[in-house]
C-alpha cells in the first residue's frame, strides 16, 4: 500500500452514525405545567448526538456548540421521548450532528415532532487536543450535507462578528 493511501482520511457512511435513544418523561423531569424541562431535552439531545459523533470518529468527542433549540410542541409527563441523531457533515476536527426529537403517546403510539437541534462536536486525541475526523459519505442525504455547510458558515460568521464587536469595545 502506498503512503498516500494510508494517510487518506477514513470514509464513514452516514448510516454508521445513526443513533436512536428513548426516554420516558417522568414527573421529576417536568415543570409546574407538567411539560418537560427544556434543559432535560437539551441534555438528552447532547447525549444522543455524542453517541452519533463517537460512532463516526471511533474516539473521544466534546460538544462545542448547540444551535438554537426551538420547541414546537410540549412534551407531557408520561410520554416517551424519541431522539434520533446522525452526523450531517464533517470538517477538519469537527462535525455537525443533527438531532430530531419526537414525543410519543404510549397509549396510542402517535408521535409528534417536538424540536430539532444541531450540535457541533470536536474529536479529541488521547492528550485532549483536537484530532482529525473521518470524511463523511452522505449517501442519499445530500440536502442535509449541503445545509450543514450553510449552518457552519452562519456560525462562523456570527463568531467573527461577535469577536469584532468585542475588539471594538476593548474587551
Amino acid at each position: 500500500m502506498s503512503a498516500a493511501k494510508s494517510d487518506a482520511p477514513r470514509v464513514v457512511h452516514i448510516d454508521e452514525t445513526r443513533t436512536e435513544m428513548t426516554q420516558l418523561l417522568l414527573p421529576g423531569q417536568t415543570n409546574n405545567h407538567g411539560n418537560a424541562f427544556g434543559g432535560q431535552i437539551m441534555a438528552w439531545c447532547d447525549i444522543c448526538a455524542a453517541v452519533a459523533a463517537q460512532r463516526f470518529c471511533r474516539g473521544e468527542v466534546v460538544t462545542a456548540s448547540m444551535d438554537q433549540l426551538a420547541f414546537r410542541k410540549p412534551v407531557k409527563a408520561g410520554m416517551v421521548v424519541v431522539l434520533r441523531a446522525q452526523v450531517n457533515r464533517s470538517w477538519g476536527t469537527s462535525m455537525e450532528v443533527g438531532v430530531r426529537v419526537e414525543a410519543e403517546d404510549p397509549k396510542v403510539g402517535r408521535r409528534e415532532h417536538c424540536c430539532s437541534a444541531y450540535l457541533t462536536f470536536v474529536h479529541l486525541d488521547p492528550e485532549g487536543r483536537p484530532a482529525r475526523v473521518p470524511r463523511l459519505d452522505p449517501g442519499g442525504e445530500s440536502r442535509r450535507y449541503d445545509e450543514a455547510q450553510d449552518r457552519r458558515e452562519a456560525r462562523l460568521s456570527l463568531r467573527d462578528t461577535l469577536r469584532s464587536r468585542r475588539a471594538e469595545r476593548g474587551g
Side-chain angles (χ1 to χ4, degrees):
M1 185 187 307
S2 72
K5 283 199 182 237
S6 65
D7 291 342
R10 185 169 59 91
V11 178
V12 177
H13 194 275
I14 197 167
D15 290 344
E16 294 178 55
T17 74
R18 289 202 171 106
T19 301
E20 183 170 295
M21 186 172 101
T22 55
Q23 298 287 335
L24 179 60
L25 186 65
L26 301 173
Q29 298 161 323
T30 64
N31 60 26
N32 60 328
H33 303 290
N35 298 330
F37 283 123
Q40 180 63 69
I41 300 294
M42 289 177 73
W44 287 338
C45 284
D46 192 29
I47 292 166
C48 191
V51 172
Q54 286 179 327
R55 285 180 173 167
F56 178 62
C57 293
R58 294 294 173 205
E60 298 297 319
V61 298
V62 292
T63 310
S65 70
M66 179 185 285
D67 287 4
Q68 179 180 356
L69 181 63
F71 291 93
R72 300 164 47 115
K73 303 245 184 217
V75 181
K76 297 287 187 187
M79 296 191 96
V80 175
V81 181
V82 180
L83 301 101
R84 284 183 275 159
Q86 68 181 35
V87 174
N88 290 333
R89 191 156 184 164
S90 64
W91 308 270
T93 61
S94 68
M95 72 217 75
E96 181 192 270
V97 180
V99 181
R100 178 182 169 97
V101 181
E102 296 177 337
E104 178 182 320
D105 181 336
K107 294 176 184 153
V108 296
R110 188 182 76 246
R111 287 187 185 181
E112 291 191 288
H113 180 205
C114 298
C115 59
S116 295
Y118 299 99
L119 295 87
T120 302
F121 283 83
V122 175
H123 181 214
L124 300 178
D125 70 12
E127 287 77 43
R129 294 182 306 249
R132 302 281 309 159
V133 295
R135 237 185 59 233
L136 183 71
D137 173 359
E141 303 278 346
S142 61
R143 180 187 57 82
R144 288 178 192 266
Y145 187 81
D146 294 341
E147 289 174 356
Q149 182 63 35
D150 295 340
R151 282 187 295 274
R152 181 175 195 255
E153 289 169 7
R155 284 188 290 268
L156 294 175
S157 177
L158 177 60
R159 180 196 66 187
D160 293 345
T161 299
L162 294 174
R163 281 182 180 168
S164 294
R165 287 184 183 164
R166 274 194 300 270
E168 289 171 5
R169 292 183 185 128

